[in-house]
């Protein structure tokens, strides 16, 4: 006798089909990557985002992560059938005037397009985000609280300009004269007028946003037209700071540790057999470290002037090291990319979750710092 068995629909699978990751359209993936770390957080000098795009439509099954995109790493990406390379450092930085086989960076573009591989770079956007490179580097110090050395401001703050100026005009003729001249000034935004009653008199109040440069011209104009008085207000428009976001980190250790202990922690975290050390004036390996300032990569400009017991970065100029040492600040250098590369493994896990496991995310095995001990 044939017996029918009822089963939940979720338990039924089509024979011969196994669960697998799906594909993502390149533009959908780029949008998701931009949501993971807004490119507006990158430094103005940086070259971030999608740098090389195969002709659409382009689907991505494998996302390949690397710190530096060298020719050796490119060949690895080709062999592993990558569809998009996420290179932390932008392989195209100085503008290319041609794409030939002559230079190695041109060859990267040629190879990428030949094999329909896109190239995306986040660089300093990943430095700024709370879950980025610098946050990962702080873990090498041990338990600590950290804040950005140079906080980022909200990129989507709607107000244009750096200043707002408001003033009153008592007659329509006077107002039109001034407004006609203001309209000739560059970098004036959001100019509005509205009626007000001042000291019992009906007047027109003018409000406008402007740049720092335009502010000087507006103030000079108001002074020439006798409108610069006690009723004039000048406000600085400050964009709100983004929490835990920005360049570099100032870390306060939960418990002070000796410099020698900190060195061992950093070597363990970065998986390095050695680091370079400059002892601050009056300091020894037994000196306690309570505050450490750090910046992944090249940290001179970010760390300069920060009060701390220790600077941790990849590289610094000779004279910036001398300045730090003279101020009693010890310096640990790990080579540029050694302070960044270890983040890729953590990044891979985060992106797998962020992209809802839709594509394969793999990390380069060939990527390495170009410097080695000889």
């Amino acid at each position: 006798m044939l017996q029918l068995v009822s089963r939940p629909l979720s338990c039924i699978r089509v024979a011969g089909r196994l669960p697998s990751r799906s594909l993502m359209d390149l533009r959908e993936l780029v949008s998701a990557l931009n949501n993971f770390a807004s490119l507006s957080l990158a430094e103005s000098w940086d070259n971030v985002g999608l740098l090389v795009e195969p002709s659409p439509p382009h689907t991505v099954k494998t996302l390949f992560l690397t710190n530096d995109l060298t020719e050796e790493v490119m060949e690895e990406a080709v062999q592993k059938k990558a569809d998009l390379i996420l290179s932390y450092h932008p392989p195209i930085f100085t503008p290319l005037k041609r794409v030939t086989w002559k230079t190695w960076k041109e060859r990267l573009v040629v190879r990428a397009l030949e094999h329909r591989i896109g190239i995306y770079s986040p660089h300093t956007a990943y430095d700024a985000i709370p879950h980025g490179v610098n946050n990962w580097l702080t873990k090498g110090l041990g338990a600590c609280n950290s804040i950005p050395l140079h906080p980022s401001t909200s990129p989507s703050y709607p107000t244009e300009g750096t200043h707002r100026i408001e003033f009153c005009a008592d007659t329509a003729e006077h107002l039109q004269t001034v407004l006609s001249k203001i309209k000739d000034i560059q970098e004036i935004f959001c100019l509005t007028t509205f009626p007000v009653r001042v000291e019992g008199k009906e007047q027109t109040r003018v409000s406008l946003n402007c740049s720092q440069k335009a502010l000087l011209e507006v103030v000079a104009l108001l002074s020439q037209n006798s409108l610069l008085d006690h009723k004039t207000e000048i406000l600085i428009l400050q964009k709100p700071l983004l929490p835990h976001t920005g360049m570099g980190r100032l870390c306060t250790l939960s418990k002070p540790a000796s410099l020698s202990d900190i060195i061992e922690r950093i070597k363990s975290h970065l998986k390095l057999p050695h680091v370079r050390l400059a002892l601050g004036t009056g300091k020894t390996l037994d000196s306690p470290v309570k505050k450490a300032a750090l910046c992944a990569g090249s940290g001179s400009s970010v760390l300069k002037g920060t009060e701390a017991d220790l600077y941790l970065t990849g590289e610094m100029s000779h004279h910036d090291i001398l300045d730090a040492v003279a101020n009693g600040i010890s310096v640990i250098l790990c080579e540029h990319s050694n302070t960044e590369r270890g983040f890729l493994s953590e990044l891979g896990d985060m992106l797998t979750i962020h992209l809802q496991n839709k594509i394969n995310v793999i990390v380069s095995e060939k990527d390495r710092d170009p410097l080695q001990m000889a």
Side-chain angles (χ1 to χ4, degrees), residues 4-277:
L4 296 177
V5 179
S6 176
R7 291 184 179 177
L9 184 60
S10 59
C11 294
I12 299 175
R13 289 181 182 172
V14 178
R17 294 184 62 184
L18 297 174
S20 63
R21 288 185 171 92
S22 60
L23 304 175
M24 290 185 74
D25 178 76
L26 176 62
R27 294 179 181 179
E28 176 193 4
L29 176 54
V30 167
S31 178
L33 291 174
N34 292 346
N35 288 335
F36 178 80
S38 173
L39 298 180
S40 62
L41 296 174
E43 296 284 11
S44 59
W45 48 261
D46 210 350
N47 189 33
V48 294
L50 186 62
L51 306 184
V52 175
E53 179 182 9
S55 59
H58 183 61
T59 54
V60 178
K61 182 177 182 181
T62 299
L63 174 62
F64 180 91
L65 310 182
T66 185
N67 199 76
D68 293 298
L69 184 54
T70 61
E71 289 188 278
E72 183 181 14
V73 172
M74 173 59 80
E75 292 312 307
E76 180 191 10
V78 170
Q79 292 169 14
K80 293 184 176 178
K81 302 186 184 306
D83 303 295
L84 178 66
I85 296 171
L86 187 154
S87 176
Y88 168 73
H89 285 136
I92 303 173
F93 193 81
T94 302
L96 298 176
K97 292 186 177 181
R98 58 185 60 82
V99 179
T100 69
W101 202 248
K102 187 174 182 179
T103 68
W104 72 276
K105 290 201 172 184
E106 291 176 62
R107 291 194 293 271
L108 289 177
V109 177
V110 172
R111 291 292 281 161
L113 292 175
E114 282 179 340
H115 292 273
R116 291 190 57 77
I117 301 173
I119 301 175
Y120 178 96
S121 177
H123 201 200
T124 51
Y126 276 15
D127 292 349
I129 56 176
H131 48 293
V133 181
N134 283 309
N135 184 66
W136 168 81
L137 189 56
T138 66
K139 297 176 183 179
L141 297 171
C144 64
N145 294 317
S146 67
I147 58 173
L149 287 170
H150 302 278
S152 298
T153 56
S154 174
S156 58
Y157 193 62
T159 302
E160 292 184 280
T162 59
H163 293 76
R164 175 174 295 156
I165 184 166
E166 295 188 359
F167 62 92
C168 287
D170 51 6
T171 66
E173 182 180 356
H174 201 181
L175 175 64
Q176 291 305 317
T177 299
V178 173
L179 288 182
S180 65
K181 293 179 180 179
I182 285 178
K183 289 177 181 177
D184 293 331
I185 299 175
Q186 299 295 315
E187 299 176 351
I188 297 289
F189 316 101
C190 308
L191 191 154
T192 58
T193 60
F194 50 94
V196 293
R197 191 172 183 83
V198 179
E199 299 173 352
K201 297 180 179 179
E202 296 294 333
Q203 295 188 351
T204 300
R205 191 157 182 84
V206 179
S207 174
L208 60 89
N209 294 351
C210 61
S211 66
Q212 174 76 44
K213 179 183 176 182
L215 174 66
L216 300 177
E217 296 182 56
V218 172
V219 168
L221 177 63
L222 296 182
S223 178
Q224 293 167 8
N225 287 271
S226 303
L227 292 176
L228 199 61
D229 55 26
H230 67 281
K231 298 187 291 294
T232 303
E233 294 183 324
I234 300 175
L235 306 173
I236 298 176
L237 301 177
Q238 293 183 328
K239 294 183 177 181
L241 299 180
L242 294 174
H244 315 297
T245 305
M247 298 300 164
R249 295 292 184 271
L250 180 62
C251 308
T252 303
L253 276 67
S254 300
K255 184 179 180 182
S258 68
L259 180 57
S260 61
D261 283 346
I262 294 294
I263 291 172
E264 292 307 313
R265 291 178 189 178
I266 292 168
K267 287 161 62 176
S268 175
H269 183 58
L270 301 184
K271 298 179 173 57
L272 296 176
H274 66 274
V275 295
R276 291 191 288 166
L277 171 67

